[in-house]
Amino acid sequence: MAAEAWAGLALALLLAAPPFLPPYFLEILISVMLFGYLGAAWNILGGYAGQFSFGHAAYFGIGAYTSTLLFLRLGITPWLGMVAGGVLAAAFGLFAGYLSFRYGLRGPYFSLVTLAFAEMLRVVAVNTKAAGSSLGLVIPTRTPAPLDFVFAGKLPYYYVILAMAVGAVWITRRLERSKLGYSLRAIRENEDAAEAAGVDALGMKLRAMAASSFLTALGGTFYAQYFAYIDPTITFGPAVSIQGLLQAIVGGAGTVLGPLLGSFVLTPLSELSRAALRGRAGVDVMVYGLVLMLVISFLPQGLMGALRRRPRPS
Amino acid sequence: MTGDLLLQAAVSGFLLGGVYGLVASGLSLIFGVLRIINFAHGAVMMLGMYAAYWLFTLLGVDPYLCVLITGPAFFALGMVVQRVVIEPNRRAAEHNQLLLTLGLALFLENLALVLWQGDFRTVRPAYAGASFVIGDALVEVPRLVACAGAVVMALALFAFLRLTDVGKAIRALSEEPEGAMLMGIDVRRIRAVAFGIGAGCVAVAGALVTPFFYVAPDVGESFNIMAFVVVVLGGMGNFVGALAGGFIVGLAESLGATLLPGSLKQLVVFALFVLVLLFRPAGLFGGGHGR
Amino acid sequence: MTLLEADGITKRFGGLTAVNGFRLAVDAGEIVGLIGPNGAGKTTVFHLLSGFHAPTEGDIRFKGMSVVGSKPHQICRRGLARTFQIVQPFVNLTALENVMVGAFNRTDDVAAARDRAAEVLEFVGLGRRRDVPARELTLSDRKRLEMARGLATGPELLLLDEVMSGLNPTEIEAIIALIRRIHAQGVALLIIEHVMRAVMALSQRIVVLHHGETIAEGPPDDVARDPRVIEAYLGSGP
């Protein structure tokens, strides 16, 4: 109960405070929400189903490129393009997932194959002129058009990503309390035992994959609209894959609030480290690497795990 | 004309494949003994390349000679890293151990980025441009030396594993972990040694390629992926397979580059990777640890 | 009614024949014991019956329908549940959650699954442990938990793989009583066991496996006296 009270308070603050924040802090908050969102999306497949994807950038990129290309070439509003991107990403996820799960890839082998799929998409993007090749795509800034997912100023974007993040948390909560949630956690703990208890492991994992990839793709569209520029490395590169994963692991994989909590800690941390060594590229990721090693070594259940270590009522 | 190009590509790719094989052998060894997929392998190679670069630029040490320094140095460093970072987590869940090496990789790659920035650097000893012609193919001397060096190193490693006590202990531990422990083998030491050897090998490989490969913080990443592909192809833990796999991947990459436009050659390698993972997880030659 | 029929199943792993021409029929409500020296192939038989391995030859029919090629969860849906020789709890889930996973085999509703799981936990004697994470349970409790999880799936046939190994005599007695209670509910049982007195006491019929082949079959007393069985056990060492 205490956790929910805190979450409620946090949400209230997140809704009310931003209009008064200086632009720099608002930017950071948007990043926090975006990475937390991506973490929550990853968490469905990684934290709950226990399938650690290292290639979620594949879905992020599909989302970003789909909505952007539909917008630039056909004038279709990114709000719709977002959904299209999500569906395409889910389809790719089901394809990649089916191949991997059907052929029994688990643990690190699954992680490696997801990495390969993401890299393959990146190479395809780099070599596709129609998608801008390695130069990428620019969404020309013009007059704000909310119906086209183009806003004046950062505040509207913040509320969009806030809504997405809250939505992802809500979906995760519903998932956790559903039959699918129990099935996924069983699969995570012990896939064979789960099968013996009547859980359709392949079917459940695919469901998790579809949800996870769909949501991740939506994040890709948000990124494209907010930053107005995408290229193969930004969207399909390992950096994005690692971002999602990191928030969930550090915050607590397999928990509802973990990814968001992780992002609230990691994103400002990376900002601070960048500010401390100004101009030096790579400090933030170096810190990420260090944090990841420390968390795995000392807090394997993540921050949520540490917060939960209170004596059980008997 | 295409025939010449293909031959050229085959030669170059084959030679680089020797280096891939060495890199993969180290990775395979680490997997065999510690049962982890070392994501930081490429990063260590990158550091080995920087070590060669700095030794060359500051002290004028020839890259091929500097392996005598960097090899043992990275071996020692590898042992330390294993003891400090990896060993304490040896009982952690498999995916957590993977994340651990991922964290290490991120840390090392970006440490290099912070220290030395992203500019490409090159090591250009006098013989960097040397080459000779065999038949219709141009053979670049640095590539040839790198390949020869890698193969020699791999063979030395092979001999070490077969003939020395430590080597036999390593093999015992990777084939039969419980039996090895019962035989009184100092498991902790062997695990540190195995990681150290992996690090040493990959640092040597790094030094060997510096005369013809740019040095930058991200260079490890591409070798990393190649190493994974090779190891999966050759069979996880199959040491000889890693060497053979290296040549195959080197060839495939190079031929792919000639036949496919742009950078689509990478697609060939990845596709190969995915196919082997799905259909022959024990590697093309079997003898690997499968899924 | 015949629940389970294994019809001359053979399983080969490369050059090794683990199970050879195994035949078995289990009727509704029966308790059948499956014994044999270590390495006889008993657990492999369980893997074959529950869909974890496919037989190289032969057919397996559950309630009249062939289940060869079916996935384990499909076989479980049909009414066959199993436990594992080395207990496999979902360690980070509570006892209740563990059993709920099984209960979902019969319902999609979370509340219904929770109620059913609670009932089954009471039935096996773990009622007071329902909110304890499985990792904190003793071996004996974990074995009960695994049986509870299997029971919650609503099976007509339950395969128990050495549930008594590692337990002390008091615990063994308790498990024997539990198995009798399960049987009284109408569940048929196929039990792999090394604890001889338990198998003898519980089974209506015993099948003896040696080197993957049935060497004897019949009521407990007959099997106990069978010279081939005695030789198989003595001949293969301690």
Side-chain angles (χ1 to χ4, degrees), chain B:
Chain B
M1 189 270 292
T2 326
D4 276 357
L5 258 166
L6 281 176
L7 179 65
Q8 190 59 59
V11 168
S12 291
F14 184 83
L15 293 179
L16 187 58
V19 179
Y20 287 157
L22 178 62
V23 174
S25 298
L27 189 64
S28 207
L29 188 71
I30 291 175
F31 178 81
V33 176
L34 286 96
R35 289 285 189 272
I36 57 172
I37 296 180
N38 181 20
F39 252 91
H41 209 59
V44 175
M45 178 171 181
M46 176 268 299
L47 289 177
M49 291 172 77
Y50 268 103
Y53 169 81
W54 289 116
L55 282 170
F56 178 77
T57 309
L58 297 177
L59 299 175
V61 180
D62 181 87
Y64 299 139
L65 286 180
C66 87
V67 305
L68 296 171
I69 307 172
T70 59
F74 274 79
F75 169 75
L77 281 170
M79 281 187 71
V80 169
V81 166
Q82 199 276 339
R83 272 283 162 80
V84 170
V85 176
I86 297 175
E87 186 68 14
N89 289 300
R90 71 187 174 288
R91 295 207 203 288
E94 214 179 20
H95 52 74
N96 276 354
Q97 295 194 20
L98 192 61
L99 290 173
L100 193 62
T101 59
L102 177 66
L104 183 62
L106 291 175
F107 179 74
L108 292 176
E109 275 163 25
N110 287 276
L111 180 65
L113 186 57
V114 167
L115 287 176
W116 303 309
Q117 274 142 330
D119 320 314
F120 287 16
R121 299 166 196 260
T122 52
V123 169
R124 281 257 166 270
Y127 48 80
S131 62
F132 56 90
V133 178
I134 293 186
D136 286 329
L138 185 76
V139 177
E140 295 161 52
V141 170
R143 278 193 187 239
L144 183 62
V145 176
C147 184
V151 171
V152 164
M153 183 86 198
L155 288 175
L157 190 52
F158 193 67
F160 170 79
L161 289 176
R162 293 258 152 216
L163 301 174
T164 67
D165 283 344
V166 179
K168 289 179 196 170
I170 289 177
R171 274 171 44 225
L173 195 52
S174 49
E175 282 160 39
E176 201 53 58
E178 277 148 38
M181 286 194 270
L182 290 171
M183 299 245 319
I185 290 177
D186 183 352
V187 173
R188 287 174 52 115
R189 190 172 77 103
I190 297 297
R191 289 155 61 94
V193 167
F195 197 86
I197 292 178
C201 279
V202 92
V204 166
L208 288 173
V209 303
T210 45
F212 63 91
F213 226 95
Y214 68 92
V215 179
D218 63 355
V219 81
E221 257 173 63
S222 45
F223 277 98
N224 217 16
I225 300 210
M226 286 307 165
F228 292 147
V229 179
V230 172
V231 168
V232 164
L233 213 71
M236 271 303 179
N238 182 346
F239 183 72
V240 175
L243 201 52
F247 287 117
I248 295 177
V249 170
L251 266 171
E253 184 194 31
S254 197
L255 291 174
T258 317
L259 295 168
L260 294 170
S263 54
L264 285 174
K265 65 169 179 177
Q266 297 178 334
L267 226 47
V268 171
V269 174
F270 286 129
L272 195 56
F273 183 51
V274 171
L275 288 171
V276 173
L277 266 179
L278 291 178
F279 302 116
R280 283 281 291 188
L284 285 180
F285 315 110
H289 287 267
R291 318 178 181 112

Side-chain angles (χ1 to χ4, degrees), chain A residues 173-190:
Chain A
R173 194 167 191 272
R174 289 288 306 260
L175 173 75
E176 198 180 57
R177 289 151 195 236
S178 72
K179 175 175 176 174
L180 177 60
Y182 281 92
S183 305
L184 290 178
R185 287 193 292 155
I187 292 169
R188 176 191 73 200
E189 296 294 309
N190 192 318

Side-chain angles (χ1 to χ4, degrees), chain C:
Chain C
M1 173 181 85
T2 305
L3 274 183
L4 178 73
E5 272 178 271
D7 197 357
I9 51 177
T10 296
K11 181 64 184 174
R12 278 186 274 271
F13 294 104
L16 174 72
T17 304
V19 174
N20 196 6
F22 181 72
R23 284 201 156 69
L24 178 71
V26 179
D27 292 340
E30 265 202 297
I31 301 186
V32 179
L34 182 62
I35 65 174
N38 278 326
K42 309 187 292 296
T43 297
T44 308
V45 166
F46 267 24
H47 287 333
L48 290 166
L49 296 177
S50 57
F52 281 92
H53 288 147
T56 318
E57 283 167 32
D59 194 22
I60 302 170
R61 283 182 295 278
F62 188 72
K63 295 202 291 199
M65 219 177 74
S66 173
V67 294
V68 172
S70 294
K71 299 235 206 107
H73 75 267
Q74 291 168 321
I75 297 178
C76 181
R77 295 274 168 85
R78 303 216 76 229
L80 187 154
R82 69 164 295 178
T83 65
F84 292 88
Q85 188 174 20
I86 299 176
V87 162
Q88 312 270 8
F90 303 130
V91 290
N92 288 307
L93 269 50
T94 64
L96 184 67
E97 289 167 339
N98 264 266
V99 182
M100 279 172 77
V101 175
F104 277 119
N105 195 39
R106 291 279 167 237
T107 175
D108 283 342
D109 179 64
V110 177
R114 184 173 292 124
D115 289 339
R116 185 177 167 78
E119 263 176 55
V120 176
L121 274 176
E122 276 299 332
F123 180 78
V124 305
L126 283 176
R128 272 171 299 132
R129 297 254 186 282
R130 41 180 280 176
D131 294 319
V132 175
R135 67 150 55 83
E136 290 172 24
L137 293 175
T138 62
L139 179 64
S140 162
D141 282 349
R142 288 187 189 200
K143 298 220 172 209
R144 283 176 193 268
L145 181 65
E146 191 139 309
M147 290 166 76
R149 194 172 64 198
L151 278 176
T153 66
E156 288 169 66
L157 171 62
L158 180 60
L159 307 182
L160 296 177
D161 197 344
E162 294 193 39
V163 288
M164 302 190 207
S165 72
L167 300 183
N168 65 45
T170 319
E171 289 164 340
I172 290 177
E173 283 306 319
I175 297 286
I176 292 177
L178 174 57
I179 292 176
R180 289 217 167 93
R181 284 207 304 278
I182 294 173
H183 184 232
Q185 297 264 308
V187 178
L189 291 143
L190 178 60
I191 302 176
I192 294 178
E193 233 351 298
H194 277 302
V195 177
M196 277 307 135
R197 64 182 177 80
V199 185
M200 294 293 162
L202 287 166
S203 314
Q204 293 155 336
R205 180 162 54 99
I206 294 184
V207 176
V208 187
L209 210 57
H210 189 42
H211 293 323
E213 290 179 10
T214 308
I215 58 169
E217 187 173 345
D221 289 334
D222 291 357
V223 165
R225 283 194 292 264
D226 190 315
R228 287 167 300 173
V229 175
I230 297 171
E231 198 211 319
Y233 271 97
L234 289 179
S236 60

Side-chain angles (χ1 to χ4, degrees), chain A residues 239-312:
Chain A
V240 168
S241 294
I242 287 169
Q243 277 292 5
L245 185 161
L246 208 55
Q247 323 302 325
I249 297 289
V250 170
T255 66
V256 173
L257 292 170
L260 223 44
L261 180 61
S263 186
F264 265 103
V265 169
L266 281 173
T267 309
L269 190 61
S270 93
E271 268 308 311
L272 269 168
S273 58
R274 255 196 299 213
L277 270 112
R278 78 189 51 238
R280 288 290 213 174
V283 199
D284 47 348
V285 186
M286 197 174 107
V287 169
Y288 282 163
L290 196 57
V291 169
L292 188 53
M293 287 193 282
L294 289 171
V295 165
I296 297 289
S297 302
F298 300 113
L299 271 182
Q301 308 273 23
L303 292 168
M304 284 300 293
L307 289 175
R308 276 185 184 165
R309 251 182 250 146
R310 286 187 222 110
R312 275 190 169 284

